[in-house]
Amino acid sequence: MTVTVYVPCDTTALALGADDVASLIEREAESRQLDLKLVRNGSRGLFWLEPLIEVDTPEGRVAYGPVDPSDVAELADAGLFEGERAHALAHGLTGEIPYLKNQQRLTFSRIGLTDPLSIDDYRAHRGFAGLEEALTMATQAIVDEVKNSGLRGRGGAAFPTGIKWQTVHDEPEGQKYIVCNADEGDSGTFADRLVMECDPYMLIEGMTIAGLAVGATQGYIYLRSEYPIAHRMFNEALKRAYNAGYLGNDILGSGRHFDLEVRLGAGAYICGEETSLLDSLEGKRGMVRAKPPLPAIKGLFGRPTVVNNVLSLAAVPFIIDQGAQAYANYGMGKSRGTLALQLAGNVKQGGLVELAFGTTLRELMEGFGGGTLSGRPLKAVQVGGPLGAYLPESQWDSPIDYEGFAAFGGVVGHGGVVMFDDTVDMGEQARFAMEFCSVESCGKCTPCRIGAVRGVEVIDRIRAGENADANLELLSDLCETMVDGSLCAMGGMTPFPVQSVMQHFPNDLTRQQA
Amino acid sequence: MLEHNNHIDESLSMAPSGTLQPQEWTPELIQQEIDALKDKPGAILPILHAIQDRFGYIPEAAVPIIAEALRHTRAEVHGIISFYHHFRTHPAGSHVVHVCRAEACQAVGSRQLEAHIKNKLSVDYHQTSRDNEFTLEPVYCLGNCACGPSIRVDDTIHGRVTADKFDRLVDRLTTSTLEVK
Ligand SMILES: Cc1cc2nc3c(=O)[nH]c(=O)nc-3n(C[C@H](O)[C@H](O)[C@H](O)COP(=O)(O)O)c2cc1C
Ligand code: SF4
Ligand code: FES
């Protein structure tokens, strides 16, 4: 009898020793003369349990984790290959682990279940059903579905995806492009990476549907160079999708055409901003362009271009397959569907949590996250990446929704939730926000380029106790100038974390440094 | 019998870090990389990546060759190379260590780890250790934010890195490089 064992192969599982675990499992099976089928699946996104290995049993997949290489021999003795559940690292059926069971996974329904590169696995879980449907639909009907789903861009700005597609759709025929923003520059975010490493065909499918909808025959994925594993995995998936007829000149014999290529970025945060990304793709320095013209009208190489985040595009196959309403049924207010929340930083149970909009940060950080890793009290949480405000406890009970967060100066952004315990020095975090902007500014406008450098200096003076009051006032003015005078959100939002520290953690800023 | 579904081809296999030794560049080899890619729209980034991947850095001498092939000025090419943090114009050490400086890693002690690493290797960011073994670079997020502090050594990412774990890693890398030589 064959025993099937799953050992994930995403960046985080590998970073915690999954390859060693896999080879030790092979060795244990061999010494027991077992017929082993080792599947390198994607991660379920339960990173606190990685490497999370699973064994097929008649009742379903049984989970063990986190499995250190040094645990393998003992686990094998304790009946790993039989799916015994007595060992301390055993968690019973994977699907019953509350962290997973309590999620609402629409986009991430397949991750961790399948071998990411297997097209058969993908198809067995409704993969390409959306594309097959789209091939039978009129272009306007596809755009309408996306509009009716209420999907808004998941990359940060939350612009309605269907409306963006409509603009490109309505431009006269000719060369148009689909550009996938896979720069994922925000600290605390890894959901784009998970899609590309653990369910790559979903992104290929989403982009192909986008191409069909707006009449684009070429797509580019702009991927950050910080993700070497995603790069290798995704390129392999592309090759296989071409071989299987899902891409190219004659998609599934329909006579329709769509080509896809990955382009690697080169370590510049600003290249996540869509116009800067387009400049970079065109072979220039990644400088931000003034809008208008919108990329939807004059985008890549001057042609109409859809620029969407990985998660926006990855939501599309579900929407087309299950219908706009099935997606829109989730969420609250004008925030429809689900959000890929990413629990990171000082968190006991970090990982990916897909939930409908409307949950609260506290439910997320305590219910899913289990509090801090250090076990110390939680002090602040930064949501929405390095340009997002630091939220104090008084703001943890607000439901997560774009408008609701904006109302109190919060940012949902790309859904990254970074937790800090009470040892954090918020003055240091404010300084870092300015420093980051000074390193990553594209340099086009003065408030951002010079302002960030001055911001670091002023904060240093405040922290050194030099004219604290006058310098705090100067810092406020500087923040306002950056907010009002910057061309893009890099300079325009860098003040958010700084202002939040001034407002909610003022003592940390003015407390004199030893 | 072992059965793998792990059908990632050779180029995809997760090679242990540090096994890719850069090649010596010549103008002909640089031209080769350029010719293979120059007809792509927006070819310069792919070309710069190809050159750095093969030779370990982008030699000054590549600038006029690229400029000529893409009908850019040398200043433009230089401006592009210097804009992106990833590209370097001098050879790196045998291993490149990227330390994540971003917030999620800060929340679990990356600042202390950063100080330890600088001290251990006796270098600051953008520098190479005197024995030429390690080049240290900052990076802002490796997408391993739930299990930080994170570092990248060549193409391998490591999570929950402690000072001890880093020291062991360095020892392992230096002994294995010595054996190769
Ligand atoms: C400084 C800056 C960095 C950004 N980084 C990213 C990023 O890494 N990934 C992303 O998808 N969007 C990023 N964005 C947002 C994009 O400009 C753009 O709104 C998005 O790609 C549009 O796709 P969506 O509508 O699907 O979200 C960034 C914006 C700014 C101002
Ligand atoms: S705000 Fe900063 S990053 Fe944005 S365009 Fe201006 S200089 Fe460039
Ligand atoms: S913040 Fe360090 S890996 Fe993301």
Side-chain angles (χ1 to χ4, degrees), chain A residues 231-252:
Chain A
H231 188 217
R232 287 190 294 248
M233 296 279 285
F234 198 80
N235 265 333
E236 178 64 21
L238 270 186
K239 200 155 71 183
R240 293 184 190 193
Y242 266 105
N243 287 340
Y246 291 101
L247 286 171
N249 278 327
D250 185 19
I251 300 167
L252 294 179

Side-chain angles (χ1 to χ4, degrees), chain A residues 251-443:
Chain A
I251 300 167
L252 294 179
S254 66
R256 312 286 285 278
H257 173 195
F258 193 66
D259 282 307
L260 258 186
E261 185 185 331
V262 178
R263 286 292 176 88
L264 217 48
Y269 178 75
I270 194 58
C271 289
E273 194 284 332
E274 58 184 1
T275 61
S276 163
L277 184 154
L278 293 174
D279 265 19
S280 181
L281 262 182
E282 288 179 5
K284 303 174 190 149
R285 302 164 67 127
M287 303 289 277
V288 174
R289 303 177 186 171
K291 287 188 270 193
L294 294 171
I297 291 166
K298 210 163 170 290
L300 187 64
F301 303 114
R303 302 296 309 165
T305 303
V306 169
V307 184
N308 270 142
N309 172 255
V310 173
L311 300 178
S312 316
L313 291 161
V316 168
F318 175 93
I319 291 167
I320 301 300
D321 177 33
Q322 310 275 316
Q325 196 56 46
Y327 195 75
N329 284 342
Y330 292 84
M332 67 177 280
K334 286 194 276 174
S335 305
R336 308 311 313 172
T338 55
L339 182 64
L341 291 149
Q342 298 140 81
L343 273 174
N346 199 327
V347 55
K348 195 160 150 210
Q349 300 179 160
L352 177 101
V353 181
E354 183 177 348
L355 287 173
F357 286 91
T359 185
T360 68
L361 276 177
R362 198 185 293 277
E363 277 163 26
L364 188 69
M365 297 190 296
E366 289 170 8
F368 286 87
T372 60
L373 180 70
S374 61
R376 300 184 61 91
L378 193 62
K379 175 163 168 180
V381 49
Q382 188 177 33
V383 183
L387 310 178
Y390 285 97
L391 310 180
E393 179 162 9
S394 59
Q395 294 173 338
W396 300 345
D397 294 304
S398 340
I400 299 175
D401 122 288
Y402 293 117
E403 278 69 28
F405 260 48
F408 65 82
V411 177
V412 173
H414 186 248
V417 175
V418 178
M419 293 159 56
F420 292 82
D421 74 8
D422 64 351
T423 60
V424 65
D425 174 351
M426 296 308 294
E428 188 69 57
Q429 297 311 118
R431 183 188 193 277
F432 180 80
M434 286 290 185
E435 186 188 354
F436 182 68
C437 183
S438 73
V439 175
E440 297 296 337
S441 166
C442 88

Side-chain angles (χ1 to χ4, degrees), chain A residues 38 48 61 179 227 232 237 292 327 380 390 397 440 494 509:
Chain A
L38 181 69
W48 48 292
R61 284 156 70 161
V179 170
Y227 284 180
R232 287 190 294 248
Y327 195 75
Y390 285 97
D397 294 304
E440 297 296 337
T494 286
L509 198 56

Side-chain angles (χ1 to χ4, degrees), chain A residues 197-238:
Chain A
E197 291 177 352
C198 304
D199 204 8
Y201 298 115
M202 174 168 56
L203 178 57
I204 293 173
E205 184 178 355
M207 288 186 74
T208 309
I209 295 172
L212 294 174
V214 305
T217 53
Q218 175 70 49
Y220 290 101
I221 294 137
Y222 187 88
L223 174 66
R224 68 200 314 249
S225 57
E226 290 86 341
Y227 284 180
I229 294 168
H231 188 217
R232 287 190 294 248
M233 296 279 285
F234 198 80
N235 265 333
E236 178 64 21
L238 270 186

